[in-house]
Amino acid sequence: MAALLEALEIKRKTVFEFEDAPYVCMDSDVSTPTARGGQTLVRLKMRNLVTGAVFDKTFKANDKFKEPDVSLVPASFLYSDGEGFHFMDQESYETLTLAGDKVGDAVDFLTEGLMLQMHTYNGNPIALQLPLFVELEVTETEPAARGDFSSGSGTKSAKVETGMTVRVPPFVKQGERIKISTDSREFAGRV
């Protein structure tokens, strides 16, 4: 039997189950009434882990929620095809498949063998958690203009092996491996 959480106990980053779906709390606000007999209410900003939908909902302080069967599984990216994106569970060595709409913008960072974390709900993959930085090879970049080196502030466009385009310093050349932040999608250094 899963433990039950009261609405008052739900804080930021708490995972809970509501209407048979897993949610993560993004923000919580407790309002205590000043009148006697008034009810304490908890307003939660929550994101559905399966669909990604975000909304606000108000609950009574003593409303109860189940803890969902959500876990993080270490996985590595194998390949993608018409069925979706395929990953290998690093603990059980099973192949996990995630639909393209669940991968979303993460496709810009996926290279064969990339190690990441996969969210599973009741044993089924639902979302990816990328590492903070990924290393990618520059496949195309324009040559730096002569004046770019002196100021040190110029950037140029570079295309990486996944097809994504990023702004890089003028000294980065085609064929080099660079580090890119998965949060900001910006150049973070040479490898």
PDB file of all heavy atoms in Angstrom, residues 154-187:
ATOM      1  N   GLY A 154      32.958  38.426 -30.249  1.00  0.00           N
ATOM      2  CA  GLY A 154      32.182  37.967 -31.385  1.00  0.00           C
ATOM      3  C   GLY A 154      31.828  36.491 -31.289  1.00  0.00           C
ATOM      4  O   GLY A 154      32.532  35.717 -30.653  1.00  0.00           O
ATOM      5  N   THR A 155      30.731  36.119 -31.911  1.00  0.00           N
ATOM      6  CA  THR A 155      30.372  34.705 -32.010  1.00  0.00           C
ATOM      7  C   THR A 155      29.999  34.413 -33.449  1.00  0.00           C
ATOM      8  O   THR A 155      29.725  35.320 -34.235  1.00  0.00           O
ATOM      9  CB  THR A 155      29.163  34.348 -31.101  1.00  0.00           C
ATOM     10  OG1 THR A 155      28.035  35.108 -31.508  1.00  0.00           O
ATOM     11  CG2 THR A 155      29.473  34.572 -29.646  1.00  0.00           C
ATOM     12  N   LYS A 156      29.994  33.140 -33.775  1.00  0.00           N
ATOM     13  CA  LYS A 156      29.586  32.718 -35.116  1.00  0.00           C
ATOM     14  C   LYS A 156      28.678  31.505 -34.984  1.00  0.00           C
ATOM     15  O   LYS A 156      28.589  30.887 -33.917  1.00  0.00           O
ATOM     16  CB  LYS A 156      30.820  32.400 -35.964  1.00  0.00           C
ATOM     17  CG  LYS A 156      31.665  31.247 -35.434  1.00  0.00           C
ATOM     18  CD  LYS A 156      32.876  31.015 -36.294  1.00  0.00           C
ATOM     19  CE  LYS A 156      33.684  29.808 -35.791  1.00  0.00           C
ATOM     20  NZ  LYS A 156      34.824  29.526 -36.643  1.00  0.00           N
ATOM     21  N   SER A 157      28.017  31.197 -36.055  1.00  0.00           N
ATOM     22  CA  SER A 157      27.070  30.097 -36.072  1.00  0.00           C
ATOM     23  C   SER A 157      27.805  28.780 -36.347  1.00  0.00           C
ATOM     24  O   SER A 157      28.709  28.732 -37.181  1.00  0.00           O
ATOM     25  CB  SER A 157      26.040  30.372 -37.166  1.00  0.00           C
ATOM     26  OG  SER A 157      25.085  29.363 -37.194  1.00  0.00           O
ATOM     27  N   ALA A 158      27.410  27.716 -35.644  1.00  0.00           N
ATOM     28  CA  ALA A 158      28.008  26.392 -35.874  1.00  0.00           C
ATOM     29  C   ALA A 158      26.906  25.339 -35.825  1.00  0.00           C
ATOM     30  O   ALA A 158      26.021  25.398 -34.980  1.00  0.00           O
ATOM     31  CB  ALA A 158      29.061  26.092 -34.821  1.00  0.00           C
ATOM     32  N   LYS A 159      26.990  24.387 -36.745  1.00  0.00           N
ATOM     33  CA  LYS A 159      26.029  23.283 -36.768  1.00  0.00           C
ATOM     34  C   LYS A 159      26.731  22.066 -36.166  1.00  0.00           C
ATOM     35  O   LYS A 159      27.879  21.785 -36.491  1.00  0.00           O
ATOM     36  CB  LYS A 159      25.613  22.997 -38.206  1.00  0.00           C
ATOM     37  CG  LYS A 159      24.427  22.076 -38.332  1.00  0.00           C
ATOM     38  CD  LYS A 159      24.045  21.921 -39.789  1.00  0.00           C
ATOM     39  CE  LYS A 159      22.548  21.892 -39.908  1.00  0.00           C
ATOM     40  NZ  LYS A 159      22.123  21.828 -41.305  1.00  0.00           N
ATOM     41  N   VAL A 160      26.033  21.363 -35.252  1.00  0.00           N
ATOM     42  CA  VAL A 160      26.606  20.190 -34.598  1.00  0.00           C
ATOM     43  C   VAL A 160      26.032  18.914 -35.210  1.00  0.00           C
ATOM     44  O   VAL A 160      25.093  18.959 -36.009  1.00  0.00           O
ATOM     45  CB  VAL A 160      26.381  20.227 -33.063  1.00  0.00           C
ATOM     46  CG1 VAL A 160      27.152  21.376 -32.430  1.00  0.00           C
ATOM     47  CG2 VAL A 160      24.921  20.313 -32.715  1.00  0.00           C
ATOM     48  N   GLU A 161      26.567  17.770 -34.810  1.00  0.00           N
ATOM     49  CA  GLU A 161      26.233  16.489 -35.423  1.00  0.00           C
ATOM     50  C   GLU A 161      24.754  16.110 -35.367  1.00  0.00           C
ATOM     51  O   GLU A 161      24.284  15.327 -36.181  1.00  0.00           O
ATOM     52  CB  GLU A 161      27.075  15.370 -34.813  1.00  0.00           C
ATOM     53  CG  GLU A 161      26.894  15.192 -33.314  1.00  0.00           C
ATOM     54  CD  GLU A 161      27.887  14.199 -32.723  1.00  0.00           C
ATOM     55  OE1 GLU A 161      27.819  13.010 -33.071  1.00  0.00           O
ATOM     56  OE2 GLU A 161      28.720  14.645 -31.913  1.00  0.00           O
ATOM     57  N   THR A 162      23.996  16.676 -34.448  1.00  0.00           N
ATOM     58  CA  THR A 162      22.566  16.355 -34.353  1.00  0.00           C
ATOM     59  C   THR A 162      21.709  17.261 -35.237  1.00  0.00           C
ATOM     60  O   THR A 162      20.508  17.075 -35.332  1.00  0.00           O
ATOM     61  CB  THR A 162      22.074  16.491 -32.899  1.00  0.00           C
ATOM     62  OG1 THR A 162      22.283  17.833 -32.470  1.00  0.00           O
ATOM     63  CG2 THR A 162      22.772  15.523 -31.978  1.00  0.00           C
ATOM     64  N   GLY A 163      22.329  18.280 -35.863  1.00  0.00           N
ATOM     65  CA  GLY A 163      21.604  19.196 -36.731  1.00  0.00           C
ATOM     66  C   GLY A 163      21.254  20.513 -36.074  1.00  0.00           C
ATOM     67  O   GLY A 163      20.784  21.443 -36.725  1.00  0.00           O
ATOM     68  N   MET A 164      21.471  20.618 -34.763  1.00  0.00           N
ATOM     69  CA  MET A 164      21.169  21.849 -34.034  1.00  0.00           C
ATOM     70  C   MET A 164      22.235  22.905 -34.363  1.00  0.00           C
ATOM     71  O   MET A 164      23.400  22.594 -34.572  1.00  0.00           O
ATOM     72  CB  MET A 164      21.176  21.559 -32.528  1.00  0.00           C
ATOM     73  CG  MET A 164      20.931  22.767 -31.662  1.00  0.00           C
ATOM     74  SD  MET A 164      20.761  22.396 -29.901  1.00  0.00           S
ATOM     75  CE  MET A 164      22.329  21.660 -29.493  1.00  0.00           C
ATOM     76  N   THR A 165      21.811  24.176 -34.393  1.00  0.00           N
ATOM     77  CA  THR A 165      22.726  25.289 -34.632  1.00  0.00           C
ATOM     78  C   THR A 165      22.903  26.064 -33.333  1.00  0.00           C
ATOM     79  O   THR A 165      21.926  26.376 -32.661  1.00  0.00           O
ATOM     80  CB  THR A 165      22.174  26.218 -35.728  1.00  0.00           C
ATOM     81  OG1 THR A 165      21.961  25.448 -36.913  1.00  0.00           O
ATOM     82  CG2 THR A 165      23.135  27.346 -36.043  1.00  0.00           C
ATOM     83  N   VAL A 166      24.166  26.344 -32.974  1.00  0.00           N
ATOM     84  CA  VAL A 166      24.476  27.102 -31.761  1.00  0.00           C
ATOM     85  C   VAL A 166      25.459  28.217 -32.104  1.00  0.00           C
ATOM     86  O   VAL A 166      26.152  28.159 -33.109  1.00  0.00           O
ATOM     87  CB  VAL A 166      25.088  26.215 -30.637  1.00  0.00           C
ATOM     88  CG1 VAL A 166      24.095  25.212 -30.129  1.00  0.00           C
ATOM     89  CG2 VAL A 166      26.346  25.529 -31.100  1.00  0.00           C
ATOM     90  N   ARG A 167      25.517  29.237 -31.248  1.00  0.00           N
ATOM     91  CA  ARG A 167      26.486  30.321 -31.400  1.00  0.00           C
ATOM     92  C   ARG A 167      27.742  29.919 -30.627  1.00  0.00           C
ATOM     93  O   ARG A 167      27.650  29.497 -29.467  1.00  0.00           O
ATOM     94  CB  ARG A 167      25.936  31.635 -30.842  1.00  0.00           C
ATOM     95  CG  ARG A 167      24.649  32.131 -31.470  1.00  0.00           C
ATOM     96  CD  ARG A 167      24.755  32.465 -32.926  1.00  0.00           C
ATOM     97  NE  ARG A 167      25.680  33.564 -33.187  1.00  0.00           N
ATOM     98  CZ  ARG A 167      26.025  33.963 -34.410  1.00  0.00           C
ATOM     99  NH1 ARG A 167      25.537  33.375 -35.472  1.00  0.00           N
ATOM    100  NH2 ARG A 167      26.873  34.957 -34.557  1.00  0.00           N
ATOM    101  N   VAL A 168      28.889  30.038 -31.277  1.00  0.00           N
ATOM    102  CA  VAL A 168      30.165  29.647 -30.661  1.00  0.00           C
ATOM    103  C   VAL A 168      31.184  30.771 -30.838  1.00  0.00           C
ATOM    104  O   VAL A 168      31.029  31.614 -31.712  1.00  0.00           O
ATOM    105  CB  VAL A 168      30.719  28.336 -31.293  1.00  0.00           C
ATOM    106  CG1 VAL A 168      29.775  27.174 -31.042  1.00  0.00           C
ATOM    107  CG2 VAL A 168      30.992  28.499 -32.769  1.00  0.00           C
ATOM    108  N   PRO A 169      32.252  30.767 -30.018  1.00  0.00           N
ATOM    109  CA  PRO A 169      33.324  31.752 -30.198  1.00  0.00           C
ATOM    110  C   PRO A 169      34.022  31.546 -31.548  1.00  0.00           C
ATOM    111  O   PRO A 169      33.970  30.450 -32.111  1.00  0.00           O
ATOM    112  CB  PRO A 169      34.283  31.463 -29.042  1.00  0.00           C
ATOM    113  CG  PRO A 169      33.488  30.667 -28.065  1.00  0.00           C
ATOM    114  CD  PRO A 169      32.462  29.930 -28.849  1.00  0.00           C
ATOM    115  N   PRO A 170      34.681  32.564 -32.049  1.00  0.00           N
ATOM    116  CA  PRO A 170      35.298  32.482 -33.382  1.00  0.00           C
ATOM    117  C   PRO A 170      36.423  31.444 -33.500  1.00  0.00           C
ATOM    118  O   PRO A 170      36.722  30.994 -34.594  1.00  0.00           O
ATOM    119  CB  PRO A 170      35.828  33.888 -33.633  1.00  0.00           C
ATOM    120  CG  PRO A 170      35.753  34.604 -32.343  1.00  0.00           C
ATOM    121  CD  PRO A 170      34.807  33.885 -31.461  1.00  0.00           C
ATOM    122  N   PHE A 171      37.028  31.013 -32.389  1.00  0.00           N
ATOM    123  CA  PHE A 171      38.141  30.058 -32.474  1.00  0.00           C
ATOM    124  C   PHE A 171      37.690  28.611 -32.676  1.00  0.00           C
ATOM    125  O   PHE A 171      38.506  27.739 -32.931  1.00  0.00           O
ATOM    126  CB  PHE A 171      39.051  30.164 -31.240  1.00  0.00           C
ATOM    127  CG  PHE A 171      38.327  29.977 -29.930  1.00  0.00           C
ATOM    128  CD1 PHE A 171      37.993  28.713 -29.467  1.00  0.00           C
ATOM    129  CD2 PHE A 171      37.989  31.081 -29.162  1.00  0.00           C
ATOM    130  CE1 PHE A 171      37.327  28.546 -28.263  1.00  0.00           C
ATOM    131  CE2 PHE A 171      37.323  30.922 -27.950  1.00  0.00           C
ATOM    132  CZ  PHE A 171      36.994  29.650 -27.506  1.00  0.00           C
ATOM    133  N   VAL A 172      36.405  28.302 -32.558  1.00  0.00           N
ATOM    134  CA  VAL A 172      35.919  26.930 -32.718  1.00  0.00           C
ATOM    135  C   VAL A 172      35.921  26.570 -34.205  1.00  0.00           C
ATOM    136  O   VAL A 172      35.421  27.310 -35.041  1.00  0.00           O
ATOM    137  CB  VAL A 172      34.502  26.775 -32.114  1.00  0.00           C
ATOM    138  CG1 VAL A 172      33.933  25.404 -32.419  1.00  0.00           C
ATOM    139  CG2 VAL A 172      34.545  27.013 -30.615  1.00  0.00           C
ATOM    140  N   LYS A 173      36.501  25.383 -34.513  1.00  0.00           N
ATOM    141  CA  LYS A 173      36.631  24.949 -35.903  1.00  0.00           C
ATOM    142  C   LYS A 173      35.795  23.703 -36.164  1.00  0.00           C
ATOM    143  O   LYS A 173      35.425  22.979 -35.240  1.00  0.00           O
ATOM    144  CB  LYS A 173      38.094  24.628 -36.213  1.00  0.00           C
ATOM    145  CG  LYS A 173      39.042  25.787 -36.083  1.00  0.00           C
ATOM    146  CD  LYS A 173      40.455  25.346 -36.439  1.00  0.00           C
ATOM    147  CE  LYS A 173      41.462  26.401 -36.111  1.00  0.00           C
ATOM    148  NZ  LYS A 173      41.906  26.393 -34.724  1.00  0.00           N
ATOM    149  N   GLN A 174      35.556  23.457 -37.427  1.00  0.00           N
ATOM    150  CA  GLN A 174      34.832  22.264 -37.845  1.00  0.00           C
ATOM    151  C   GLN A 174      35.625  21.024 -37.409  1.00  0.00           C
ATOM    152  O   GLN A 174      36.850  20.998 -37.494  1.00  0.00           O
ATOM    153  CB  GLN A 174      34.674  22.274 -39.364  1.00  0.00           C
ATOM    154  CG  GLN A 174      33.851  21.131 -39.893  1.00  0.00           C
ATOM    155  CD  GLN A 174      33.565  21.295 -41.378  1.00  0.00           C
ATOM    156  OE1 GLN A 174      33.440  22.410 -41.869  1.00  0.00           O
ATOM    157  NE2 GLN A 174      33.489  20.184 -42.081  1.00  0.00           N
ATOM    158  N   GLY A 175      34.917  19.992 -36.902  1.00  0.00           N
ATOM    159  CA  GLY A 175      35.565  18.768 -36.460  1.00  0.00           C
ATOM    160  C   GLY A 175      35.876  18.742 -34.972  1.00  0.00           C
ATOM    161  O   GLY A 175      36.155  17.692 -34.409  1.00  0.00           O
ATOM    162  N   GLU A 176      35.842  19.899 -34.302  1.00  0.00           N
ATOM    163  CA  GLU A 176      36.106  19.949 -32.860  1.00  0.00           C
ATOM    164  C   GLU A 176      34.885  19.476 -32.086  1.00  0.00           C
ATOM    165  O   GLU A 176      33.760  19.579 -32.555  1.00  0.00           O
ATOM    166  CB  GLU A 176      36.422  21.390 -32.422  1.00  0.00           C
ATOM    167  CG  GLU A 176      37.820  21.834 -32.723  1.00  0.00           C
ATOM    168  CD  GLU A 176      38.120  23.169 -32.045  1.00  0.00           C
ATOM    169  OE1 GLU A 176      37.721  24.214 -32.574  1.00  0.00           O
ATOM    170  OE2 GLU A 176      38.767  23.140 -30.974  1.00  0.00           O
ATOM    171  N   ARG A 177      35.121  18.964 -30.875  1.00  0.00           N
ATOM    172  CA  ARG A 177      34.025  18.580 -29.979  1.00  0.00           C
ATOM    173  C   ARG A 177      33.833  19.712 -28.976  1.00  0.00           C
ATOM    174  O   ARG A 177      34.804  20.226 -28.418  1.00  0.00           O
ATOM    175  CB  ARG A 177      34.322  17.263 -29.269  1.00  0.00           C
ATOM    176  CG  ARG A 177      34.328  16.087 -30.250  1.00  0.00           C
ATOM    177  CD  ARG A 177      34.385  14.743 -29.590  1.00  0.00           C
ATOM    178  NE  ARG A 177      33.222  14.383 -28.820  1.00  0.00           N
ATOM    179  CZ  ARG A 177      32.040  13.982 -29.321  1.00  0.00           C
ATOM    180  NH1 ARG A 177      31.868  13.931 -30.615  1.00  0.00           N
ATOM    181  NH2 ARG A 177      31.047  13.640 -28.529  1.00  0.00           N
ATOM    182  N   ILE A 178      32.565  20.098 -28.784  1.00  0.00           N
ATOM    183  CA  ILE A 178      32.249  21.176 -27.853  1.00  0.00           C
ATOM    184  C   ILE A 178      31.223  20.696 -26.830  1.00  0.00           C
ATOM    185  O   ILE A 178      30.523  19.715 -27.043  1.00  0.00           O
ATOM    186  CB  ILE A 178      31.721  22.445 -28.581  1.00  0.00           C
ATOM    187  CG1 ILE A 178      30.448  22.133 -29.381  1.00  0.00           C
ATOM    188  CG2 ILE A 178      32.801  23.053 -29.452  1.00  0.00           C
ATOM    189  CD1 ILE A 178      29.761  23.351 -29.961  1.00  0.00           C
ATOM    190  N   LYS A 179      31.175  21.416 -25.708  1.00  0.00           N
ATOM    191  CA  LYS A 179      30.223  21.114 -24.641  1.00  0.00           C
ATOM    192  C   LYS A 179      29.087  22.127 -24.752  1.00  0.00           C
ATOM    193  O   LYS A 179      29.328  23.326 -24.876  1.00  0.00           O
ATOM    194  CB  LYS A 179      30.934  21.231 -23.286  1.00  0.00           C
ATOM    195  CG  LYS A 179      30.163  20.638 -22.157  1.00  0.00           C
ATOM    196  CD  LYS A 179      30.936  20.391 -20.875  1.00  0.00           C
ATOM    197  CE  LYS A 179      32.048  21.306 -20.507  1.00  0.00           C
ATOM    198  NZ  LYS A 179      32.504  21.121 -19.124  1.00  0.00           N
ATOM    199  N   ILE A 180      27.827  21.623 -24.699  1.00  0.00           N
ATOM    200  CA  ILE A 180      26.649  22.482 -24.803  1.00  0.00           C
ATOM    201  C   ILE A 180      25.755  22.251 -23.591  1.00  0.00           C
ATOM    202  O   ILE A 180      25.510  21.107 -23.204  1.00  0.00           O
ATOM    203  CB  ILE A 180      25.871  22.186 -26.105  1.00  0.00           C
ATOM    204  CG1 ILE A 180      26.762  22.449 -27.315  1.00  0.00           C
ATOM    205  CG2 ILE A 180      24.592  23.014 -26.183  1.00  0.00           C
ATOM    206  CD1 ILE A 180      26.161  22.031 -28.631  1.00  0.00           C
ATOM    207  N   SER A 181      25.251  23.335 -23.000  1.00  0.00           N
ATOM    208  CA  SER A 181      24.328  23.249 -21.866  1.00  0.00           C
ATOM    209  C   SER A 181      22.963  22.801 -22.383  1.00  0.00           C
ATOM    210  O   SER A 181      22.439  23.373 -23.333  1.00  0.00           O
ATOM    211  CB  SER A 181      24.203  24.606 -21.192  1.00  0.00           C
ATOM    212  OG  SER A 181      23.080  24.622 -20.347  1.00  0.00           O
ATOM    213  N   THR A 182      22.375  21.778 -21.752  1.00  0.00           N
ATOM    214  CA  THR A 182      21.062  21.300 -22.182  1.00  0.00           C
ATOM    215  C   THR A 182      19.945  22.220 -21.709  1.00  0.00           C
ATOM    216  O   THR A 182      18.850  22.180 -22.255  1.00  0.00           O
ATOM    217  CB  THR A 182      20.805  19.862 -21.694  1.00  0.00           C
ATOM    218  OG1 THR A 182      20.949  19.811 -20.274  1.00  0.00           O
ATOM    219  CG2 THR A 182      21.747  18.882 -22.345  1.00  0.00           C
ATOM    220  N   ASP A 183      20.206  23.063 -20.706  1.00  0.00           N
ATOM    221  CA  ASP A 183      19.189  24.013 -20.227  1.00  0.00           C
ATOM    222  C   ASP A 183      19.099  25.234 -21.132  1.00  0.00           C
ATOM    223  O   ASP A 183      18.043  25.584 -21.626  1.00  0.00           O
ATOM    224  CB  ASP A 183      19.497  24.474 -18.803  1.00  0.00           C
ATOM    225  CG  ASP A 183      19.196  23.408 -17.764  1.00  0.00           C
ATOM    226  OD1 ASP A 183      18.391  22.504 -18.059  1.00  0.00           O
ATOM    227  OD2 ASP A 183      19.757  23.490 -16.653  1.00  0.00           O
ATOM    228  N   SER A 184      20.232  25.889 -21.332  1.00  0.00           N
ATOM    229  CA  SER A 184      20.238  27.139 -22.089  1.00  0.00           C
ATOM    230  C   SER A 184      20.469  26.926 -23.583  1.00  0.00           C
ATOM    231  O   SER A 184      20.295  27.856 -24.367  1.00  0.00           O
ATOM    232  CB  SER A 184      21.326  28.071 -21.559  1.00  0.00           C
ATOM    233  OG  SER A 184      22.600  27.503 -21.778  1.00  0.00           O
ATOM    234  N   ARG A 185      20.903  25.718 -23.989  1.00  0.00           N
ATOM    235  CA  ARG A 185      21.208  25.386 -25.391  1.00  0.00           C
ATOM    236  C   ARG A 185      22.339  26.263 -25.918  1.00  0.00           C
ATOM    237  O   ARG A 185      22.369  26.616 -27.094  1.00  0.00           O
ATOM    238  CB  ARG A 185      19.970  25.495 -26.258  1.00  0.00           C
ATOM    239  CG  ARG A 185      18.816  24.652 -25.792  1.00  0.00           C
ATOM    240  CD  ARG A 185      17.559  24.886 -26.563  1.00  0.00           C
ATOM    241  NE  ARG A 185      17.545  24.237 -27.851  1.00  0.00           N
ATOM    242  CZ  ARG A 185      17.212  22.982 -28.062  1.00  0.00           C
ATOM    243  NH1 ARG A 185      16.868  22.232 -27.054  1.00  0.00           N
ATOM    244  NH2 ARG A 185      17.235  22.468 -29.268  1.00  0.00           N
ATOM    245  N   GLU A 186      23.297  26.648 -25.039  1.00  0.00           N
ATOM    246  CA  GLU A 186      24.399  27.514 -25.414  1.00  0.00           C
ATOM    247  C   GLU A 186      25.741  26.804 -25.279  1.00  0.00           C
ATOM    248  O   GLU A 186      25.879  25.854 -24.507  1.00  0.00           O
ATOM    249  CB  GLU A 186      24.405  28.780 -24.545  1.00  0.00           C
ATOM    250  CG  GLU A 186      23.211  29.674 -24.776  1.00  0.00           C
ATOM    251  CD  GLU A 186      23.190  30.862 -23.830  1.00  0.00           C
ATOM    252  OE1 GLU A 186      24.047  30.945 -22.922  1.00  0.00           O
ATOM    253  OE2 GLU A 186      22.305  31.713 -24.003  1.00  0.00           O
ATOM    254  N   PHE A 187      26.740  27.308 -25.991  1.00  0.00           N
ATOM    255  CA  PHE A 187      28.115  26.828 -25.930  1.00  0.00           C
ATOM    256  C   PHE A 187      28.626  26.961 -24.495  1.00  0.00           C
ATOM    257  O   PHE A 187      28.449  27.978 -23.854  1.00  0.00           O
ATOM    258  CB  PHE A 187      28.970  27.666 -26.890  1.00  0.00           C
ATOM    259  CG  PHE A 187      30.446  27.398 -26.815  1.00  0.00           C
ATOM    260  CD1 PHE A 187      31.008  26.316 -27.472  1.00  0.00           C
ATOM    261  CD2 PHE A 187      31.278  28.228 -26.079  1.00  0.00           C
ATOM    262  CE1 PHE A 187      32.364  26.072 -27.425  1.00  0.00           C
ATOM    263  CE2 PHE A 187      32.639  27.998 -26.017  1.00  0.00           C
ATOM    264  CZ  PHE A 187      33.183  26.909 -26.694  1.00  0.00           C
TER     265      PHE A 187
END
